[in-house]
C-alpha cells in the first residue's frame, strides 16, 4: 500500500511516499481503509523530532475517517472515525491507505459529516475538551478567555465553553481577523495588536478577570494569561513556542489563589480519546460543534502539504484523501 513514511527525524526531507506492507490487525483490532486523514501541526513536529514517544521508521497521522474492512462482525463495513493513543508516534498512523488500531479506538462517523469533515475533528476537539471540561471544568456563568480563538483548537474551545453556558472572550492578532470568525460563539474580542491582554480582560469583566484561561500560545503570552485570571481562576497551557522557559511572579500567583494546568494530548489513550469523541458526537450531529473548513489533497501530495503547513501557507484544515 502507499503511505507517507519517515525513516529518521529532524527534517521534512526524511518524509516520502513509499510502498509499505499492509498492516495486519492483532487480536481485538480492526483494519480500516482510510478515506481521509487530517494533517495537524503536530504531524509536522513529529517528523521534525519534536514529539516525544516517536519511533522510526514511522507512518505519521493522528486523525482519520474510513471504513472497517477487517474486525468484529458488528463493525465490518461501518464508516468510522477516530484519533488519539500513540497513533503516528509509537505505531503507524493514518497517512496511509490502510490503518490497524484497537477496535475500542473507532467510533461510528457522525451522520451529518462526510469522511473529510470527520477526519478534521479529532486532535482539535480532544485537546479543547480535555482543557476546558476535564481540567478547567468551566461552569455556566463563568468567563472563559481563549487565546488563538480562530485556530482549530481555539475555535473548538470557544464552542465547548459556549455550549456549557460560559461567557467567551476571544483574541485576534489584528482587527481584520474578527469578521472571518463571525460564526464563532464569542461574546467579546480583544485585538492583541492594540490592547494589552490583562488590561483588556479586566476592562471587559469590570476588573474581575477570567475564571478560565486557555493558553494555546505560551512564551511571552504565558504571564499575560496568568495576569488575566480572576481570583481562584484556572489556566490551562498546551504550548511552549517559541520559548519553553517562562517566569512569573509567584507571590501574585498564590495570593490570587490561581490554578495552573498543563495538558498534552499525546497522553490520551485510545479509549480516553474515543470517550471524548463519543461525548461530542451529539453536539456534532446537532450542529453545536461543526466541522472545520477543510482543504483536501491527494495522499500522493502529502510531502508538499507538510512543507506548506510548515511554511504557514495553509491556514485551514488540510486533509489527505485516499
Amino acid at each position: 500500500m502507499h503511505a507517507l513514511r519517515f525513516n529518521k527525524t529532524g527534517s521534512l526531507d526524511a518524509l516520502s511516499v513509499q510502498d509499505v506492507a499492509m498492516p495486519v490487525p492483532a487480536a481485538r483490532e480492526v483494519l480500516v481503509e482510510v478515506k481521509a486523514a487530517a494533517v495537524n501541526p503536530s504531524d509536522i513536529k513529529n517528523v521534525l523530532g519534536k514529539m516525544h514517544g516517536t519511533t522510526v521508521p514511522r507512518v505519521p497521522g493522528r486523525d482519520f475517517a474510513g471504513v472497517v474492512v477487517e474486525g468484529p462482525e458488528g463493525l465490518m463495513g461501518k464508516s468510522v472515525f477516530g484519533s488519539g493513543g500513540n497513533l503516528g508516534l509509537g505505531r503507524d498512523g493514518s497517512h496511509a491507505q490502510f490503518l490497524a488500531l484497537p477496535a475500542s479506538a473507532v467510533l461510528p462517523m457522525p451522520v451529518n459529516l462526510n469522511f473529510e469533515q470527520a477526519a478534521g475533528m479529532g486532535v482539535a476537539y480532544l485537546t479543547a475538551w480535555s482543557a476546558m471540561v476535564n481540567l478547567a471544568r468551566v461552569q455556566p456563568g463563568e468567563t472563559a478567555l481563549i487565546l488563538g480563538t480562530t485556530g482549530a483548537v481555539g475555535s473548538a474551545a470557544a464552542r465547548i465553553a459556549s455550549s456549557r453556558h460560559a461567557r467567551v472572550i476571544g483574541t485576534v492578532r489584528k482587527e481584520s481577523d474578527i469578521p472571518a470568525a463571525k460564526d464563532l460563539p464569542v461574546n467579546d474580542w480583544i485585538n492583541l495588536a492594540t490592547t494589552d491582554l490583562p488590561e483588556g480582560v479586566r476592562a471587559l469583566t469590570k476588573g474581575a478577570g477570567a475564571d478560565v484561561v486557555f493558553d494555546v500560545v505560551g512564551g511571552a503570552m504565558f504571564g499575560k494569561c496568568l495576569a488575566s485570571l480572576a481570583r481562584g481562576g484556572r489556566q490551562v497551557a498546551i504550548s511552549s513556542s517559541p520559548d519553553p522557559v517562562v517566569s512569573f511572579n509567584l507571590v501574585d500567583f498564590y495570593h490570587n489563589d490561581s490554578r495552573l494546568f498543563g495538558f498534552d494530548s499525546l497522553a490520551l489513550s485510545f479509549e480516553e480519546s474515543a470517550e471524548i469523541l463519543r461525548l461530542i458526537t451529539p453536539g456534532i450531529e446537532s450542529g453545536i460543534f461543526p466541522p472545520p473548513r477543510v482543504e483536501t489533497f491527494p495522499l500522493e501530495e502529502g510531502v508538499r502539504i507538510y512543507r506548506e503547513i510548515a511554511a504557514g501557507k495553509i491556514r485551514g484544515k488540510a486533509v489527505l484523501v485516499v
Side-chain angles (χ1 to χ4, degrees), residues 112-197:
N112 59 326
L113 301 189
N114 58 34
F115 288 113
E116 295 81 6
Q117 292 170 326
M121 298 296 291
V123 168
Y125 272 93
L126 291 180
T127 303
W129 185 275
S130 298
M132 303 303 294
V133 179
N134 295 349
L135 292 176
R137 301 186 182 277
V138 63
Q139 300 296 312
E142 290 190 322
T143 296
L145 168 66
I146 299 169
L147 269 68
T149 325
T150 58
V153 176
S155 61
R159 296 186 195 284
I160 290 168
S162 178
S163 75
R164 299 177 82 82
H165 307 291
R167 175 190 181 185
V168 177
I169 299 177
T171 65
V172 291
R173 295 179 181 178
K174 55 184 184 298
E175 193 73 22
S176 60
D177 288 340
I178 296 177
K182 60 181 180 299
D183 61 330
L184 287 176
V186 173
N187 300 94
D188 301 283
W189 290 97
I190 294 176
N191 178 5
L192 296 177
T194 59
T195 305
D196 178 70
L197 182 63

Side-chain angles (χ1 to χ4, degrees), residues 1-3 32-35 94-99 299-300 322:
M1 70 169 185
H2 285 171
V32 174
E33 182 179 4
V34 178
K35 298 296 186 180
S94 60
H95 295 168
Q97 291 178 301
F98 292 88
L99 168 68
L299 175 66
E300 286 71 22
V322 183

Side-chain angles (χ1 to χ4, degrees), residues 32-33 35 64-69 74-82 106-111 113-115 118:
V32 174
E33 182 179 4
K35 298 296 186 180
F64 68 91
V67 176
V68 176
V69 295
L75 288 174
M76 284 291 293
K78 300 293 186 181
S79 296
V80 296
F81 78 128
V106 301
L107 289 170
M109 211 167 72
V111 296
L113 301 189
N114 58 34
F115 288 113

